[in-house]
Amino acid sequence: MLLEIRSEQFRKKVVQFKIGLNVILGDDNATNSIGKSTLLMVIDFCFGGSDLLSHNTDLIPELGHHDYSFAFRFEEQDHRFRRGTFEPSLVYICDETYSPGPPISLQEYTAFLKQAYKISLPDLSFRALVGLYIRVWGKDNLSVERPLNLDQRQAAGQCVDILLKTFDRYSAIRDVTQQLSAAEGQIEALRQARKYDFVPKISKRAYEENDKRINELEREMADIRLNLARYATNLSEVVNKEVLQLKLQKDQLLAQRLSLASRLQRVQGNLNGSRVIRSESFRDLINFFPEISKDRLEKVEDFHRDVARLLRTELQESEAQLDLEISRIDGAIAEIDIGMSQTLSSVEQPNALVEHVYRVSVELDNTRGVNQIFDDESALKTRLGELQEQLALEKKNVLQIVEDTVNDGMRRVVTSVFGGERKSPELTLQEKSYKFKVYDDTGTGVAYSSLVVLDLTVFQATVLPVVVHDTLLFKNIENDSVSRLIQIYLNSNKQSFIALDEIDKYGSETASILRSRSAIALDNVDVLYVKDWRPSRGSQKLVKE
């Protein structure tokens, strides 16, 4: 629990706190700008928050950089710290006199608080747990429509996940999520490996062709194992198989070459036989038809010349391409001839069988490896789909449990505080969104009381160690209902911090309880800090406190 906060800038140098409810009291005039909300922000600062400096922008200009020293008590042992405005990312461990020792990072400090409060939620940080339920004027978590948003820009799905983690219902989802993430990572690794040609690309059709080839190679290997002695004494049988395969490849190439050579011959014939119509060819025509237009005949000659030039260019390109293809085939045929020659020359050599077995074995392993990659990827995709379905089902079940738990808890709080006729807020959870429906029975606009009801429900049902509620949350609540709300705060041994003013309107008994639980009383004279920089004292204009 938080024991105390000290600062030289406090008018009352030390503010001490109790177990359970702690009240920051305002005066009977509900005077603003005296420090109630600011002290709640300082409490948030001691719990590792940062809104004190981002919201209270006038604090440092008016007071200068300053420190807050504070102590926690866990299992009868006190722990003292100091955190300042100059370097708020550091927290200093202090001795009994608050002399600072070595600093630790803010993350290390909040990790200590999580451990000290015995919060065993592996998926949730301390600040992610407590930050939402510290609702102070100026923070971004006061929207009644979006009560699970610590920041109104925060994605709704993330808010839902944090609520599930707060109720310690995320473990089943976490396990499936980790498996899903691992499967997605493996598929992405395969995709990247294929992108950079570290593993071959293979289609379903290629897989089936490979499967046929594997069967052929396996039969050949089995045949070799069964007939090894016969092969060892008659290597020519192995050689003949290889020569036949090479011969078939050569025949296919020769057929391709013959077709290309025929096309090349026709192209070359067209190139050699192309003629251009010249003006001399029109002389006899002019003699017979002197009235014919010579200009039109010249245009025919120009047109024919242009067409012939284009055709010749295309024929030359075709000739070059055909020459290139024929050269490539000639090279492949030459390689096959060399292979056939080497194979035939090794008939009498004992290592021919070994080389053949080696080649068959290598091809078999490679083909199997390519198909295995295809099988692995197919299995991964199937597993990915199964995990996605499992995750959706797990989330649906968990969301329903948490939704029912919260709604049932809010119903109980509303009944005890406002009576059985008052409608309770209703939370609806989905994987990527949520809705918070508020039934406004009071006619006073948006009911901040719904935020109080939600927070107290979570406070009672989870390991949430602290709630902080500012005065504005109580403004629209009936006086008798506030009195009953105070009892809910009092019924918990966990610390709560609330700011209230005009407490006599809640009745003498409630006012007496609030004074007994008061950590500090502030008014128009006794403000929080040693310096009062309000523009006009006694003003009732609503400004930040």
Side-chain angles (χ1 to χ4, degrees):
M1 61 169 284
L2 179 63
L3 282 178
E4 63 180 19
I5 303 175
R6 297 169 177 256
S7 177
E8 289 301 313
Q9 298 298 329
F10 283 165
R11 188 178 299 274
K12 180 182 177 182
K13 302 302 181 184
V14 182
V15 181
Q16 294 180 323
F17 304 102
K18 307 175 180 68
I19 192 171
L21 176 64
N22 293 269
V23 183
I24 313 301
L25 284 180
D27 58 21
D28 291 336
N29 295 320
T31 306
N32 293 314
S33 298
I34 57 178
K36 300 189 299 293
S37 296
T38 303
L39 181 54
L40 294 180
M41 285 286 201
V42 173
I43 292 171
D44 180 44
F45 191 71
C46 296
F47 278 99
S50 300
D51 287 319
L52 173 69
L53 302 181
S54 61
H55 173 65
N56 298 73
T57 54
D58 54 351
L59 201 61
I60 295 173
E62 295 295 341
L63 297 176
H65 283 294
H66 54 283
D67 296 325
Y68 295 95
S69 300
F70 43 93
F72 285 86
R73 177 171 293 168
F74 300 108
E75 296 182 343
E76 304 304 321
Q77 183 176 356
D78 294 348
H79 303 265
R80 296 175 177 83
F81 304 94
R82 176 180 294 180
R83 186 182 179 198
T85 62
F86 181 73
E87 190 53 75
S89 62
L90 295 178
V91 179
Y92 291 86
I93 301 173
C94 300
D95 61 16
E96 293 182 356
T97 63
Y98 282 104
S99 297
I104 58 176
S105 69
L106 185 60
Q107 291 73 21
E108 290 175 304
Y109 169 68
T110 54
F112 161 78
L113 290 180
K114 181 179 179 180
Q115 181 180 16
Y117 275 109
K118 297 181 179 180
I119 298 170
S120 56
L121 300 176
D123 305 294
L124 199 60
S125 69
F126 182 78
R127 283 303 305 177
L129 172 64
V130 304
L132 176 65
Y133 304 98
I134 300 177
R135 302 191 194 267
V136 184
W137 191 92
K139 287 171 67 71
D140 201 21
N141 61 343
L142 296 174
S143 170
V144 176
E145 292 80 11
R146 312 301 294 170
L148 300 183
N149 279 65
L150 179 61
D151 181 332
Q152 294 307 306
R153 296 168 297 180
Q154 192 176 16
Q158 183 183 5
C159 300
V160 172
D161 282 348
I162 291 175
L163 184 66
L164 299 184
K165 295 171 184 178
T166 299
F167 277 83
D168 198 15
R169 287 286 182 174
Y170 200 76
S171 57
I173 294 175
R174 179 187 65 244
D175 295 340
V176 181
T177 301
Q178 289 174 346
Q179 295 177 51
L180 181 62
S181 179
E184 290 172 339
Q186 289 175 310
I187 288 178
E188 179 61 24
L190 267 177
R191 188 177 293 115
Q192 291 298 319
R194 188 176 292 114
K195 177 180 177 182
Y196 295 103
D197 296 325
F198 292 130
V199 297
K201 299 177 182 178
I202 179 172
S203 63
K204 179 64 175 177
R205 182 176 178 181
Y207 175 86
E208 293 171 351
E209 292 175 353
N210 283 349
D211 202 38
K212 293 177 182 178
R213 182 59 180 157
I214 288 171
N215 291 333
E216 293 173 0
L217 293 170
E218 286 176 342
R219 285 194 298 270
E220 187 167 357
M221 288 295 292
D223 184 54
I224 291 173
R225 284 192 294 270
L226 289 172
N227 300 282
L228 186 59
R230 181 169 60 85
Y231 281 142
T233 57
N234 189 12
L235 298 178
S236 60
E237 184 175 343
V238 176
V239 172
N240 287 339
K241 287 183 178 180
E242 294 187 4
V243 171
L244 178 59
Q245 187 176 7
L246 291 171
K247 182 65 169 59
L248 289 173
Q249 294 177 9
K250 181 177 179 180
D251 288 344
Q252 292 174 353
L253 290 172
L254 286 172
Q256 293 179 27
R257 191 188 190 286
L258 180 61
S259 175
L260 292 171
S262 176
R263 289 172 55 191
L264 178 61
Q265 188 176 8
R266 289 197 299 271
V267 170
Q268 290 174 338
N270 289 332
L271 281 171
N272 294 332
S274 62
R275 295 289 184 269
V276 178
I277 298 176
R278 302 186 181 277
S279 59
E280 292 84 357
S281 303
F282 299 126
R283 288 176 181 173
D284 293 337
L285 183 64
I286 295 172
N287 290 333
F288 282 104
F289 302 100
E291 69 278 5
I292 196 169
S293 173
K294 293 182 181 180
D295 291 338
R296 297 195 63 179
L297 291 176
E298 289 175 356
K299 290 181 179 179
V300 171
E301 179 183 2
D302 291 340
F303 173 76
H304 188 269
R305 186 181 296 110
D306 291 339
V307 171
R309 186 182 301 112
L310 291 172
L311 289 174
R312 186 171 186 83
T313 299
E314 292 183 2
L315 289 170
Q316 287 172 340
E317 291 176 353
S318 296
E319 181 184 31
Q321 183 64 32
L322 290 169
D323 280 334
L324 182 63
E325 289 291 321
I326 290 173
S327 297
R328 183 187 63 78
I329 290 176
D330 287 342
I333 291 173
E335 290 181 2
I336 289 176
D337 288 339
I338 293 172
M340 291 174 66
S341 176
Q342 291 175 344
T343 302
L344 290 170
S345 66
S346 66
V347 172
E348 302 303 326
Q349 297 177 15
N351 63 350
L353 178 62
V354 176
E355 292 176 357
H356 176 74
V357 173
Y358 173 75
R359 287 195 297 272
V360 173
S361 177
V362 169
E363 184 181 357
L364 181 58
D365 287 344
N366 289 341
T367 310
R368 280 174 174 168
V370 170
N371 275 20
Q372 186 62 50
I373 292 172
F374 185 91
D375 288 336
D376 290 344
E377 185 173 11
S378 298
L380 272 174
K381 289 180 178 178
T382 300
R383 178 62 175 157
L384 187 67
E386 293 172 348
L387 288 171
Q388 288 171 337
E389 291 180 4
Q390 184 180 352
L391 180 61
L393 181 60
E394 290 285 357
K395 273 200 169 183
K396 182 179 180 180
N397 292 337
V398 170
L399 287 169
Q400 191 63 56
I401 290 172
V402 173
E403 178 183 305
D404 291 344
T405 302
V406 171
N407 287 333
D408 185 59
M410 290 193 296
R411 175 70 263 165
R412 293 174 185 275
V413 172
V414 167
T415 300
S416 66
V417 173
F418 301 102
E421 300 301 318
R422 181 75 167 264
K423 292 182 179 180
S424 172
E426 184 177 351
L427 179 66
T428 303
L429 298 176
Q430 295 182 357
E431 184 176 352
K432 299 295 183 183
S433 63
Y434 73 91
K435 293 181 180 179
F436 190 67
K437 188 174 183 179
V438 175
Y439 299 93
D440 185 12
D441 292 337
T442 63
T444 57
V446 176
Y448 280 114
S449 60
S450 299
L451 296 179
V452 177
V453 169
L454 173 63
D455 290 357
L456 289 177
T457 298
V458 177
F459 193 48
Q460 291 175 330
T462 70
V463 295
L464 177 66
V466 60
V467 291
V468 178
H469 290 152
D470 206 351
T471 52
L472 82 165
L473 297 178
F474 302 96
K475 293 296 185 182
N476 293 331
I477 305 177
E478 300 90 338
N479 294 341
D480 291 343
S481 297
V482 171
S483 297
R484 288 189 287 271
L485 269 177
I486 296 302
Q487 292 300 320
I488 296 179
Y489 290 103
L490 289 171
N491 288 338
S492 175
N493 288 328
K494 295 188 286 186
Q495 276 189 305
S496 54
F497 303 86
I498 66 173
L500 281 174
D501 46 29
E502 301 179 288
I503 61 173
D504 287 329
K505 67 183 181 181
Y506 302 126
S508 58
E509 182 178 350
T510 299
S512 176
I513 292 173
L514 292 174
R515 288 189 179 92
S516 70
R517 307 301 299 181
S518 170
I520 190 172
L522 303 173
D523 56 33
N524 196 39
V525 176
D526 293 323
V527 295
L528 177 63
Y529 289 108
V530 293
K531 182 178 180 180
D532 183 358
W533 59 91
R534 288 176 292 172
S536 58
R537 291 194 176 199
S539 172
Q540 297 303 304
K541 182 181 178 182
L542 183 61
V543 295
K544 61 179 178 295
E545 298 186 68

